[in-house]
Amino acid sequence: MSDYPRTQLPALSSATRRLRTDDCIIVDKRELRKAQIGAGVGNFIEWYDIGIYGYLTLTMTSVFTQGMDQSTGLLVTLLGFAVSFIVRPLGGMILGPLGDRIGRRKVLFFTMALMASATTLIGVLPTADQMGLWVIVPLYLLKMLQGFSTGGEYSGAATYVAEFSPDRHRGFWTALLNTGAQLGFAAGAAVVAATTIITTSVWGASAMLDGGWRIPFLLALPLGLVAISLRKRIPESPSFEVAHEKTEQDDVNPLFVRQSLPKIVKLYWPQILVGIALIAADGTSSYTVTSYMPTYLESQIGMASVTTAVATVVILLLQAVIVPFVARWSDRIGRRPIYVIATVGNLVLLVPAFALMHLGEMWSLYLALFMVSLPSAFFLALTGAVMSELFPTASRYGSVGLTHNVAISLFGGTTPLVSQLLVQVTGNSYAPAFYVMFFSAVALFALTKMRESAARPLLGSVPVVSSTEEAALLVRDQDANPHIDTSTMLLTPLPVVPRQSVLN
């Protein structure tokens, strides 16, 4: 029987049978690579879009809040970052269930087109000098469109890749999404730095304020066209197709039925709470590195924007390398030990890291950023896999969309704004570190309520394997394999067959 606590899953109502080799989904490696690239390119562009706004925060403050007090203008600009995350749950709540109904591929195509369009349009907005402070309204509206599309983007991509991946390597394949995210953010920082260097050397010190800031946003258009072209070619998730076909048979077990949003909350609230706690720790940690550090280093330490951008690019590239190795490690030793390392890492390293930043030296800057980013990399290595492993296939996109986006909206995207407010209100420059540490402590408690999910078939799905030989071994050893629980799989009833025919 399932090792889930009884409160976490609907009661099983249909008889189960033994697993057969023809029940297993054997992944086509070529299709898997195509799926990974198609999903990953969207995640890359999503974080490129977020990154350029984060690294242009002070420039955007001058461009869009001209005439305001500097500190107020900075908060208004950071609110633009936060407002995109406020609507993310709406995107997840609408696009997630839609993805469970019509398929992951179609929704991912839509989210990519919407995200690229919104980012490009920010690049053609008038400035406050041209339109007045009313320009904040269209800026916020476009940021909201970005947030809506992003609400379906990451949860859909994670769900899609997780369902496409072999169970024994799911952590690695889904972690490549966050590797792409770090590369996207690094690309955003690099483009901002390069644009700043080139435009100021050609047109003078005010070049970025005079229009150079538009260039990184406008580059989203060609990047988006490439991503849309790639997404046209990706296949649908095989696990979704199998589950979608079989759930049309009106199975009485709620685990195998596509649920509405209220039913998702009612049936899976324990997993939702665990997921929110983990993503809150992940989000505050990650967004401190990617979105708040440039502002913090410039406003509190007095470092130049180009210096902080270059330093963060180096750290993000290092994270991009670390993430898949940590994910592969989690496939072997489990998700929970990696989460423990991440949470304890934040509790131990953040205060010393912030102290190092205040030394104002280049060596201390890089060491401090590494210390802040290391626990974040451990979190990022697990996000896609664990969120997908918490929920059943029939309702996975909707469940992940709700859980991930609520947590990211409340605790991730608001991190730059809340951190800056904490610094200004308390006068304590270490307040952002304590903010992240609090959520890591909460996540450490949540781990006591989470089952280990590495190497197991996804809930509501049959095993996904890399070869027919692996399928045969899995079936042969199923009675001794703790990862196999046929009561959580959607298996078509078969007539009773002799034991010796099981491997046929």
Side-chain angles (χ1 to χ4, degrees):
M1 291 299 292
S2 171
D3 64 349
Y4 272 98
R6 291 184 181 274
T7 58
Q8 292 194 14
L9 285 178
L12 299 170
S13 57
S14 56
T16 59
R17 63 169 174 81
R18 291 179 59 78
L19 189 68
R20 294 163 52 98
T21 52
D22 55 4
D23 293 319
C24 300
I25 295 174
I26 300 172
V27 173
D28 183 304
K29 292 183 176 62
R30 184 172 176 272
E31 293 293 285
L32 175 58
R33 286 192 292 269
K34 186 190 297 184
Q36 176 63 56
I37 293 171
V41 70
N43 216 36
F44 175 92
I45 294 175
E46 172 192 345
W47 281 85
Y48 169 84
D49 294 347
I50 294 172
I52 56 179
Y53 192 90
Y55 285 103
L56 286 170
T57 295
L58 294 182
T59 301
M60 301 288 280
T61 298
S62 299
V63 169
F64 289 106
T65 66
Q66 185 179 5
M68 282 188 185
D69 172 74
Q70 176 72 18
S71 60
T72 303
L74 178 58
L75 290 176
V76 168
T77 307
L78 290 174
L79 182 59
F81 185 84
V83 77
S84 67
F85 285 83
I86 292 172
V87 299
R88 275 187 68 155
L90 181 63
M93 291 175 191
I94 294 175
L95 298 175
L98 184 63
D100 285 327
R101 183 176 298 111
I102 68 174
R104 287 59 164 128
R105 177 180 174 274
K106 293 177 182 177
V107 174
L108 286 173
F109 182 84
F110 170 76
T111 59
M112 186 69 264
L114 183 59
M115 188 178 352
S117 300
T119 305
T120 302
L121 288 173
I122 290 176
V124 298
L125 285 177
T127 65
D129 186 51
Q130 296 167 327
M131 183 179 176
L133 292 177
W134 286 106
V135 73
I136 294 296
V137 175
L139 174 64
Y140 281 8
L141 289 174
L142 289 173
K143 292 299 291 180
M144 290 171 72
L145 282 180
Q146 278 186 334
F148 182 85
S149 63
T150 303
E153 173 61 34
Y154 181 77
S155 53
T159 295
Y160 177 73
V161 174
E163 291 176 348
F164 228 113
S165 304
D167 297 330
R168 292 174 55 240
H169 307 293
R170 188 185 307 119
F172 171 76
W173 285 104
T174 52
L176 292 179
L177 289 173
N178 278 335
T179 288
Q182 300 310 92
L183 293 175
F185 216 101
V191 167
V192 169
T195 303
T196 302
I197 293 169
I198 293 170
T199 58
T200 53
S201 64
V202 175
W203 293 299
S206 64
M208 289 299 287
L209 294 174
D210 294 338
W213 64 271
R214 299 182 186 275
I215 296 171
F217 289 99
L218 295 176
L219 285 176
L221 180 60
L223 289 174
L225 292 175
V226 171
I228 289 170
S229 174
L230 289 171
R231 284 205 168 165
K232 280 184 177 179
R233 306 172 190 175
I234 63 175
E236 185 53 85
S237 149
S239 293
F240 168 79
E241 289 187 319
V242 171
H244 186 67
E245 177 183 342
K246 292 182 178 179
T247 51
E248 294 301 320
Q249 302 167 7
D250 295 325
D251 195 291
V252 295
N253 183 356
L255 181 67
F256 306 131
V257 176
R258 184 176 63 245
Q259 305 292 347
S260 65
L261 205 59
K263 277 292 189 69
I264 285 173
V265 174
K266 180 180 178 180
L267 291 171
Y268 306 122
W269 64 266
Q271 293 102 302
I272 291 172
L273 290 179
V274 169
I276 287 175
L278 295 175
I279 294 301
D282 175 4
T284 53
S285 182
S286 300
Y287 282 88
T288 294
V289 176
T290 56
S291 303
Y292 183 59
M293 272 297 102
T295 301
Y296 183 85
L297 291 169
E298 291 173 40
S299 62
Q300 299 299 312
I301 313 299
M303 291 192 168
S305 59
V306 172
T307 301
T308 60
V310 171
T312 311
V313 167
V314 173
I315 293 300
L316 290 175
L317 292 176
L318 184 60
Q319 273 194 325
V321 173
I322 292 172
V323 162
F325 285 99
V326 174
R328 190 180 291 276
W329 191 22
S330 80
D331 283 329
R332 292 199 300 269
I333 70 170
R335 316 295 189 218
R336 290 173 52 146
I338 301 298
Y339 268 131
V340 170
I341 295 172
T343 53
V344 173
N346 271 337
L347 294 173
V348 171
L349 295 176
L350 285 189
V351 170
F354 272 67
L356 283 170
M357 290 179 203
H358 283 266
L359 295 180
E361 302 290 341
M362 290 303 296
W363 68 267
S364 65
L365 169 65
Y366 279 89
L367 179 56
L369 287 177
F370 175 75
M371 291 168 67
V372 173
S373 67
L374 190 59
S376 172
F378 276 67
F379 276 119
L380 290 170
L382 302 183
T383 304
V386 171
M387 288 301 103
S388 300
E389 290 162 353
L390 285 172
F391 304 102
T393 300
S395 304
R396 180 169 296 120
Y397 198 160
S399 301
V400 176
L402 172 67
T403 304
H404 186 266
N405 288 301
V406 166
I408 282 293
S409 298
L410 292 177
F411 310 113
T414 57
T415 293
L417 178 63
V418 173
S419 296
Q420 185 65 22
L421 279 172
L422 287 173
V423 170
Q424 291 183 8
V425 171
T426 66
N428 188 336
S429 58
Y430 287 76
F434 297 132
Y435 184 67
V436 176
M437 290 165 66
F438 169 77
F439 288 103
S440 290
V442 173
L444 195 57
F445 171 76
L447 287 176
T448 65
K449 307 297 181 182
M450 187 189 95
R451 74 151 187 173
E452 181 52 66
S453 54
R456 296 176 182 270
L458 290 168
L459 280 172
S461 291
V462 295
V464 180
V465 297
S466 301
S467 65
T468 53
E469 292 78 13
E470 184 181 344
L473 287 172
L474 195 68
V475 170
R476 187 193 68 187
D477 300 333
Q478 63 183 290
D479 294 327
N481 190 336
H483 296 151
I484 298 300
D485 178 5
T486 56
S487 69
T488 64
M489 300 178 190
L490 191 59
L491 302 176
T492 304
L494 292 174
V496 176
V497 294
R499 179 64 180 264
Q500 64 269 21
S501 302
V502 170
L503 292 179
N504 294 338

